[in-house]
Amino acid sequence: MLKIAVIGAGRIGHVHARSVAAHPDAELVLASDPFGDAAENLAKEYGARFTKDADEVFADPDVDAVIIGSPTDLHLGQLIAAAKAGKAVLCEKPIALEVAKVDQVQAELDKINTPVMFGFNRRFDPSFAAAVDAAKSGKIGTVEQVTIISRDPAAPPAQYLTGSGGIFCDMTIHDFDMARHILGDVVEVSAFGQNFNADIKAIGDFDAAVIVLRSSTGAIATITNDRACAPGYDQRLEIHGTSGSVSIDNVRPTTLRLNNSEVTAAQQPYLDFFLERYADAYSRELSAFIKAVSTGEKPNPGIEDAVAALRLADAATVSAHEGHAVSLV
């Protein structure tokens, strides 16, 4: 039984706590959050202890592993502190707000010998995983093109976005990891930012973007993002190869199709948000983490994957603001 603490009792902390509580090989023993009664409320829901001080998590001998769901600017410090205390770590993305912050502590990251896994949960979604497996097993030949579409139903508040690192760090980071997961090394990034939301434009960020990635093999990935999508949480993927293609569509509450005098084959809107769309992915992600910790396997995705995705986010930010492609070689 892996005894787990959750740092951060916000929305993502509740997602992870729910997954831990439902897992037969895990137990939530401690919740931490410095704000108000957030930690206490989360802990009470699952019969755990609580603290407002994350340092108490790292010092607690009853904690085997830590899930970090705190604000991004705290990820690096808490990750390193947990690892130094001998705790396994499952850390939410991104690893930091900018690569320069990672470079400053690279020597400490290199010394980590406890398991560290990053929460790129789409790798564990059954549909995404099946598509990637089909491509990697050669069922569609050599991969030539990848298309990733990720649109949120509505933009978060501008107040949140000011500390998010921008759309490429906060939102596209999942798509960067998925593109790398399929294509391998990316050597060039071209990004085009769009502004349709005046509040987001006012803080110097984009609310929509199209990104083109060129891999070392010559394969191309195109990523389309938007902070707003009227039908719901739009999550699609296509992988095209020399002998075929594979694609996944959006998930809806049911498979119902309505036919009448006004519409044909009408379906329900997409699932509303990531909490519903990726519920299975979070559960499978936790299982993969527990397996890695218990068997001594290297967790995947790990620190190197998190840093590589952040480098793509940095490159996309430069490309979008300066209007030119950015080479990574």
Side-chain angles (χ1 to χ4, degrees):
M1 182 70 68
L2 194 68
K3 296 182 178 180
I4 298 176
V6 171
I7 298 179
R11 181 173 59 189
I12 197 64
H14 278 267
V15 171
H16 286 297
R18 189 181 309 123
S19 294
V20 172
H23 201 286
D25 298 320
E27 178 185 359
L28 182 67
V29 296
L30 187 60
S32 173
D33 195 294
F35 300 108
D37 55 2
E40 181 178 4
N41 290 340
L42 178 60
K44 284 182 177 178
E45 187 172 350
Y46 297 103
R49 294 177 288 113
F50 71 93
T51 177
K52 290 190 173 185
D53 187 353
D55 287 341
E56 293 185 13
V57 173
F58 311 135
D60 195 318
D62 198 37
V63 172
D64 302 318
V66 178
I67 297 177
I68 298 175
S70 54
T72 300
D73 60 348
L74 300 177
H75 287 181
L76 266 177
Q78 291 177 345
L79 184 162
I80 292 170
K84 284 183 176 179
K87 317 295 187 186
V89 178
L90 172 57
C91 185
E92 269 301 326
K93 60 77 197 169
I95 188 172
L97 291 172
E98 54 189 33
V99 171
K101 298 294 185 182
V102 178
D103 292 340
Q104 291 173 5
V105 297
Q106 188 61 57
E108 291 186 85
L109 293 175
D110 290 340
K111 295 176 183 177
I112 291 177
N113 54 21
T114 58
V116 176
M117 180 172 159
F118 270 83
F120 290 112
N121 62 295
R122 292 179 194 175
R123 291 198 188 198
F124 302 96
D125 174 74
S127 296
F128 275 86
V132 173
D133 287 347
K136 290 191 173 186
S137 65
K139 292 180 180 178
I140 61 171
T142 301
V143 173
E144 297 179 335
Q145 298 170 336
V146 175
T147 303
I148 301 173
I149 296 173
S150 179
R151 300 184 178 106
D152 288 348
Q159 182 180 4
Y160 162 81
L161 294 178
T162 55
S164 70
I167 189 171
F168 302 114
C169 182
D170 175 60
M171 182 177 181
T172 324
I173 198 82
H174 278 293
D175 306 314
F176 288 141
D177 179 70
M178 182 55 59
R180 286 190 63 255
H181 189 38
I182 298 167
L183 296 180
D185 292 334
V186 173
V187 298
E188 186 178 80
V189 179
S190 295
F192 306 89
Q194 298 173 283
N195 285 117
F196 303 108
N197 183 310
D199 291 337
I200 295 177
K201 183 178 182 179
I203 63 173
D205 196 7
F206 303 110
D207 53 276
V210 176
I211 307 98
V212 178
L213 309 177
R214 181 167 62 88
S215 77
S216 57
T217 66
I220 299 290
T222 303
I223 300 169
T224 301
N225 289 154
D226 202 316
R227 290 286 195 185
C229 180
Y233 193 42
D234 190 5
Q235 301 286 288
R236 288 174 281 163
L237 169 71
E238 181 190 69
I239 309 173
H240 174 78
T242 53
S243 59
S245 66
V246 62
S247 63
I248 65 170
D249 202 353
N250 284 296
V251 177
R252 296 171 173 83
T254 71
T255 59
L256 174 73
R257 291 177 184 267
L258 172 64
N259 300 284
N260 61 23
S261 61
E262 297 178 351
V263 296
T264 58
Q267 295 179 271
Q268 294 169 292
Y270 312 143
L271 291 179
D272 186 57
F273 205 34
F274 76 93
L275 301 179
E276 295 82 13
R277 171 62 180 83
Y278 290 113
D280 286 346
Y282 283 110
S283 177
R284 288 160 57 104
E285 176 185 79
L286 179 63
S287 290
F289 175 64
I290 292 173
K291 179 182 178 183
V293 174
S294 63
T295 63
E297 298 175 3
K298 183 178 180 181
N300 187 22
I303 293 175
E304 299 85 354
D305 298 296
V307 175
L310 186 60
R311 291 193 188 281
L312 294 181
D314 272 13
T317 301
V318 171
S319 176
H321 284 284
E322 298 185 2
H324 60 80
V326 175
S327 174
L328 297 177
V329 294

